[in-house]
Amino acid sequence: MNKKKFKNVLVVLGGTSGERAVSLESGKACIKALKKKGYKVFTFDPKFKNFNLINKKNIDVIFNALHGRDGEDGVAQSYFEYLNIPYTHSGVISSYNAMNKINSKEVFIKNKIKTPNFFSIKKQFNKKKIINTLNSKRVKFPIVLKPVNEGSSLGVEICKNKEKLVKKLNKLLKKYTEIILEEYIAGQEIQVAVINGNSIGAIELIPKRLFYDYKAKYTKKAKTEHVMPARLTKRKYNEVLKIARKAHMVLQCRGVTRSDFKFFNNNFYLLEINTQPGMTSLSLVPEIANYKGMSFENLVEKILLDASINR
């Protein structure tokens, strides 16, 4: 799309999710990049005003820099569609399905994309029933607990035994309505960026912490070692790029996605796909793009120019 059609950009950032601080950082970085590219930039924070109060009069396009609930789960996207304003990243249904870890895993399994064994539980649970389900679903310890629709590893716990599992479940179910119990996969952490349907590269993460949690992602003190490109054979590197692209396509995603994998025993296991990956100084998609010769400003503009409605 000709960029002349997009002169006035509304960057939507902040919001009310647990990822508000990260969204503000992503948004600020994107605002700076868009201004450098010559766009007139306005901002909107849904923490202070409802989405339906967006003034569409002087807005050509929305750059969605939100993260987490109401920002990347189809809620914001439904408002943008209703307002009939072109917007970036994935649409309503693909955003909802990608954010909901059960839905996305079912899509992965249906399309023969390996993902760790899992099941989910809601508010009421019986300890004996959980142990029986672990056996029937072949979910072995250590077990990863995850809220069904949270991002940035918020609420994620790793449990090595039944006692810790029950304790952490009780804690998490006070805050979240549904929790996934997923078999922990060891091995290399590999993350792949897909832009407009093309896999552009895979980066490897070596966390200093137990896993790539919120602090590892966003705290400089706990900064994770990044290896770009990922330490894989050429054949395996191409294989993970292909799987990430397939995941992007089967979920009908648009714009940018980042797929998170574990590589273990010569197999890639897709943990989840992110439709609104971070755009901060520590974020992975900009780092992968930069390695491929794409500046941050050009990356942001490339995302912007893909914006549309009916996504």
Side-chain angles (χ1 to χ4, degrees):
M1 188 177 287
N2 191 322
K3 76 174 183 178
K4 288 180 181 177
K5 290 184 179 179
F6 294 151
K7 292 180 181 178
N8 302 311
V9 183
L10 182 68
V11 175
V12 181
L13 74 170
T16 57
S17 80
E19 298 175 73
R20 173 176 172 78
V22 183
S23 173
L24 289 170
E25 288 297 312
S26 286
K28 287 172 187 174
C30 293
I31 289 165
K32 188 177 177 183
L34 289 165
K35 284 182 175 178
K36 275 189 179 180
K37 282 289 186 178
Y39 294 95
K40 192 170 184 180
V41 182
F42 304 88
T43 61
F44 185 90
D45 188 339
K47 180 179 181 179
F48 305 111
K49 285 184 180 179
N50 193 280
F51 287 113
N52 60 15
L53 294 176
I54 290 173
N55 184 352
K56 56 187 282 190
K57 189 176 179 182
N58 297 313
I59 300 302
D60 301 321
V61 62
I62 289 171
F63 192 102
N64 186 0
L66 293 169
H67 299 309
R69 290 193 210 175
D70 294 343
E72 58 179 307
D73 57 4
V75 173
Q77 292 78 4
S78 64
Y79 278 101
F80 303 155
E81 292 283 359
Y82 171 74
L83 292 165
N84 204 36
I85 304 172
Y87 62 96
T88 61
H89 299 82
S90 294
V92 178
I93 303 301
S94 51
S95 296
Y96 175 79
N97 285 333
M99 187 73 171
N100 186 298
K101 294 176 177 65
I102 296 172
N103 289 9
S104 56
K105 279 175 165 289
E106 286 173 351
V107 172
F108 300 156
I109 293 165
K110 184 180 176 182
N111 287 277
K112 296 180 172 55
I113 297 172
K114 281 189 173 66
T115 191
N117 292 336
F118 77 100
F119 66 97
S120 70
I121 62 165
K122 295 188 177 179
K123 284 289 183 186
Q124 301 299 321
F125 74 92
N126 176 283
K127 183 179 176 181
K128 187 177 179 182
K129 190 176 179 182
I130 284 179
I131 302 307
N132 289 337
T133 309
L134 288 175
N135 294 330
S136 65
K137 296 284 185 179
R138 292 183 295 176
V139 179
K140 302 172 186 174
F141 284 96
I143 289 168
V144 183
L145 303 182
K146 298 178 180 180
V148 165
N149 59 348
E150 192 67 272
S152 285
S153 301
L154 292 172
V156 174
E157 300 279 358
I158 297 178
C159 304
K160 295 180 179 179
N161 55 54
K162 296 173 188 176
E163 289 71 28
K164 188 176 181 182
L165 176 68
V166 171
K167 183 180 176 182
K168 293 295 182 182
L169 273 175
N170 278 318
K171 178 187 170 185
L172 288 170
L173 285 169
K174 288 175 184 175
K175 186 175 181 181
Y176 301 103
T177 57
E178 190 170 11
I179 300 294
I180 277 187
L181 290 82
E182 177 184 272
E183 186 173 345
Y184 175 80
I185 304 292
Q188 291 168 267
E189 297 241 18
I190 308 291
Q191 313 223 348
V192 181
V194 176
I195 302 179
N196 299 344
N198 298 309
S199 292
I200 63 164
I203 193 167
E204 180 180 352
L205 307 176
I206 307 173
K208 291 180 182 177
R209 298 172 64 79
L210 181 60
F211 67 103
Y212 192 51
D213 62 4
Y214 187 91
K215 285 188 177 180
K217 287 174 180 175
Y218 304 118
T219 310
K220 287 185 178 178
K221 192 178 281 188
K223 190 177 179 183
T224 297
E225 184 182 345
H226 296 185
V227 181
M228 183 68 210
R231 297 173 300 173
L232 298 166
T233 65
K234 187 177 179 179
R235 186 172 69 83
K236 283 294 175 183
Y237 190 89
N238 289 333
E239 181 184 330
V240 77
L241 295 189
K242 189 176 178 182
I243 298 169
R245 182 182 183 277
K246 182 179 180 181
H248 181 102
M249 301 305 284
V250 296
L251 278 166
Q252 298 181 319
C253 296
R254 294 287 299 274
V256 174
T257 59
R258 193 196 73 234
S259 290
D260 303 348
F261 293 89
K262 280 295 193 78
F263 181 55
F264 183 68
N265 278 349
N266 217 35
N267 286 304
F268 291 105
Y269 295 85
L270 181 51
L271 305 181
E272 58 187 81
I273 187 168
N274 302 275
T275 57
Q276 301 271 133
M279 298 288 280
T280 72
S281 60
L282 294 176
S283 296
L284 302 176
V285 170
E287 186 173 350
I288 295 168
N290 183 63
Y291 180 82
K292 298 295 288 185
M294 188 186 303
S295 70
F296 185 77
E297 290 79 16
N298 287 342
L299 169 64
V300 172
E301 185 172 50
K302 191 176 182 72
I303 295 168
L304 182 78
L305 295 181
D306 179 64
S308 68
I309 51 172
N310 300 317
R311 297 175 76 76

